[in-house]
Amino acid sequence: MVISSHPVVQSAPYEQNQDLTSPNRNLTPLGTALDDHHRLVVGGCTLSELARTYGTPLYVLDEATLRGTCRAYRQALAEHYPGPSLAVYASKANSSVALSALVASEGLGLDAVSAGELLTALRGGMPAERIVLHGNNKSKDELALAAGHGVTVVADNWRDLELLAELAPGLEGPVNLMLRFTPGIECHTHEYIRTGHLDSKFGFDPDQLETVLRHLQSCSWARLTGLHAHIGSQIFELQPHRDLAGVMADALALARSLGHPVSDLNVGGGLGIRYVASDDPPSIQQWVQTVAEAVVEACAARGLELPRLLCEPGRSLVATAGVTLYTVGSCKPIPGIRTYLSVDGGMSDNPRPITYQSQYTAVLADRPTAAATDTVTVAGKHCESGDVLLKDVTLPPAVPGDVLAVFATGAYNASMGSNYNRIPRPAAVLVGGGVAELVQRREQPEELLRYDVLPAHLAPIT
Ligand code: LLP
């Protein structure tokens, strides 16, 4: 559907300070602009017109930004890593058939952590050999689904190995396996999204690595192809990723010395993005260069043949491409305290503020450059006092019906969404070249009842 009938006449300030090569460093999608009415435009589509056409809340995903991040990872790997490489999209950040298809078309792989994410990836045409299945408590059905399709399983613990051994006789060939271990690396991010330190539910303890590797020597059903570690998420520091290379190269040396022809080293994801102006994450190029050089150095120091380098970006691939649109409703000024401006979504479509106290940046879609004279707290519509999307932010005076655009909402918003208060999930559209396409249709309130079962003795008497 063509949404933007107005030529884009002015782009400042939205194209200023945009890093065209590393969208994770920008607040807004690439090419965000203003139309001739000074309304905000993303992917050539005027946001308030999208809101009118598709309703709100609405997730808008910009195709050029998504492709830009995929290409940035691929190009940086090709430039800085002399061996083979593969960027694998951590689809927990935003899982949909359309995104899986887009990422597959850019030549990336995909990390799934459940049957649902795996089926979504396969439906999107992601080749099974480019998919890895993660999870600290995979079910036997999930393992069977993955192994049956030839997906690489990342063994996280002994239970995975036991279940796979049980499944193996029914499989056509050996299972491609990676071993995940906890690297014991601390980094500065929210404690809920730190995974590399030793007190983590994910992966084998490093002390157990040798025992597991020896155990696998006798497992003819398994082909150990790689080692995996992930240190956390929304990380701005580069040093922990450098340190990780050394820890992983030690593990690689050990695995190879025990006769496992391990070819893949998967260093996980974690690169942060800009949510507010003061955030200053490294670029994708800097991150990849750091990781690639550290792996090359660590392998050279140990006399190891270079492995294939895998990384698993989630947030930095999709966050900045996403803008969420809401409609402003009620306003409650509390003199001397604060003014609550309520919108028609909230913690069910973006649980990150209430979960991690995450901050966001927002503008009024039709007056993005108007003077931001009011300090308001943007609240959601859920029955929970903590359902606040933006605390004490400045906006131009807003009235009911105004469309609010919240930036950098492409990662861990839809995917962590819920139906709290039985609020339906928003629609999602992919925009590019002035065209918007629906990639997830809006859930309807009646659909929320589809799994309810009414026991006969509770049936209303009619
Ligand atoms: N690989 C593994 C094994 C992971 O566990 C994760 C993220 C990633 C890759 C991708 O990390 P990224 O590049 O996105 O940082 N819900 C939290 C983030 C949780 C991240 C979980 N694992 C949030 O909203 O901030």
Side-chain angles (χ1 to χ4, degrees):
M1 170 178 295
V2 178
I3 289 289
S4 176
S5 49
H6 305 283
V8 173
V9 294
Q10 185 195 344
S11 55
Y14 291 97
E15 278 182 357
Q16 283 173 1
N17 305 322
Q18 281 236 340
D19 185 334
L20 298 179
T21 59
S22 196
N24 72 310
R25 293 180 40 74
N26 302 329
L27 273 175
T28 63
L30 290 176
T32 300
L34 303 183
D35 69 9
D36 52 0
H37 298 295
H38 294 230
R39 303 177 303 178
L40 202 56
V41 171
V42 171
C45 298
T46 299
L47 293 181
S48 57
E49 291 186 9
L50 290 177
R52 226 184 329 278
T53 306
Y54 294 96
T56 54
L58 181 70
Y59 295 124
V60 179
L61 283 168
D62 178 53
E63 186 162 352
T65 308
L66 293 167
R67 293 196 184 277
T69 52
C70 291
R71 287 171 199 178
Y73 270 101
R74 281 198 68 177
Q75 281 165 12
L77 282 165
E79 189 177 334
H80 297 291
Y81 193 67
S85 60
L86 181 67
V88 173
Y89 167 50
S91 70
K92 70 207 78 186
N94 195 336
S95 172
S96 71
V97 173
L99 261 178
S100 304
L102 187 151
V103 165
S105 76
E106 290 292 336
L108 273 66
L110 185 143
D111 140 16
V113 297
S114 64
E117 286 184 3
L118 181 51
L119 289 170
T120 304
L122 292 169
R123 179 75 62 83
M126 177 62 73
E129 64 274 12
R130 280 196 251 145
I131 305 178
V132 297
L133 179 74
H134 274 286
N136 64 303
N137 193 22
K138 306 174 190 72
S139 71
K140 197 168 181 177
D141 285 348
E142 286 169 332
L143 289 166
L145 180 70
H149 277 92
V151 162
T152 298
V153 174
V154 184
D156 200 272
N157 49 54
W158 289 105
R159 176 82 179 145
D160 278 345
L161 298 178
E162 280 161 26
L163 291 176
L164 283 169
E166 283 171 30
L167 288 166
L171 297 171
E172 276 178 16
V175 180
N176 289 328
L177 212 62
M178 276 194 196
L179 274 192
R180 176 170 184 172
F181 68 100
T182 315
I185 288 173
E186 293 282 345
C187 53
H188 297 107
T189 187
H190 194 287
E191 87 174 282
Y192 294 176
I193 52 179
R194 238 176 16 196
T195 46
H197 56 308
L198 290 174
D199 180 6
S200 165
K201 68 172 181 171
F202 298 105
F204 286 96
D205 189 275
D207 289 349
Q208 290 208 330
L209 198 57
E210 182 167 351
T211 314
V212 188
L213 288 166
R214 288 190 187 282
H215 169 78
L216 286 174
Q217 287 172 327
S218 60
C219 298
S220 55
W221 57 265
R223 181 166 48 217
L224 184 63
T225 60
L227 297 170
H228 174 279
H230 169 77
I231 56 177
S233 199
Q234 184 59 4
I235 301 171
F236 286 5
E237 304 157 285
L238 289 171
Q239 191 57 40
H241 297 284
R242 258 183 223 117
D243 298 343
L244 178 65
V247 176
M248 293 200 77
D250 282 341
L252 184 64
L254 177 66
R256 288 187 180 164
S257 74
L258 293 172
H260 295 291
V262 172
S263 57
D264 292 352
L265 211 60
N266 184 339
V267 298
L271 172 61
I273 68 126
R274 171 168 279 157
Y275 284 104
V276 290
S278 56
D279 288 338
D280 190 17
S283 68
I284 292 172
Q285 289 75 9
Q286 283 170 314
W287 188 89
V288 170
Q289 181 172 3
T290 303
V291 168
E293 287 177 359
V295 169
V296 169
E297 249 173 61
C299 288
R302 292 159 183 80
L304 295 168
E305 197 182 311
L306 275 189
R308 180 168 74 139
L309 178 59
L310 273 65
C311 59
E312 277 173 350
R315 188 189 318 263
S316 55
L317 273 180
V318 294
T320 316
V323 179
T324 306
L325 305 181
Y326 301 96
T327 301
V328 171
S330 64
C331 177
K332 179 181 178 184
I334 312 174
I337 301 186
R338 73 180 78 250
T339 296
Y340 284 101
L341 198 63
S342 292
V343 295
D344 54 354
M347 61 185 283
S348 62
D349 61 78
N350 183 0
R352 298 194 69 260
I354 199 168
T355 312
Y356 313 115
Q357 300 76 51
S358 310
Q359 293 184 302
Y360 283 88
T361 303
V363 296
L364 295 182
D366 282 351
R367 298 193 293 289
T369 52
T373 51
D374 291 5
T375 299
V376 295
T377 285
V378 177
K381 64 175 281 166
H382 303 80
C383 289
E384 179 110 3
S385 297
D387 177 25
V388 160
L389 288 173
L390 300 114
K391 198 168 176 203
D392 296 334
V393 290
T394 53
L395 286 176
V399 295
D402 276 342
V403 174
L404 184 80
V406 182
F407 297 117
T409 52
Y412 302 113
N413 282 223
S415 63
M416 287 176 60
S418 74
N419 286 124
Y420 181 45
N421 293 154
R422 290 231 149 168
I423 290 180
R425 287 173 195 268
V429 291
L430 186 68
V431 294
V435 175
E437 285 170 297
L438 194 66
V439 292
Q440 223 134 29
R441 83 169 166 77
R442 184 175 301 283
E443 198 169 35
Q444 298 304 313
E446 308 77 50
E447 291 178 285
L448 296 171
L449 309 184
R450 82 199 129 166
Y451 301 115
D452 282 30
V453 178
L454 186 65
H457 76 281
L458 293 177
I461 300 160
T462 51

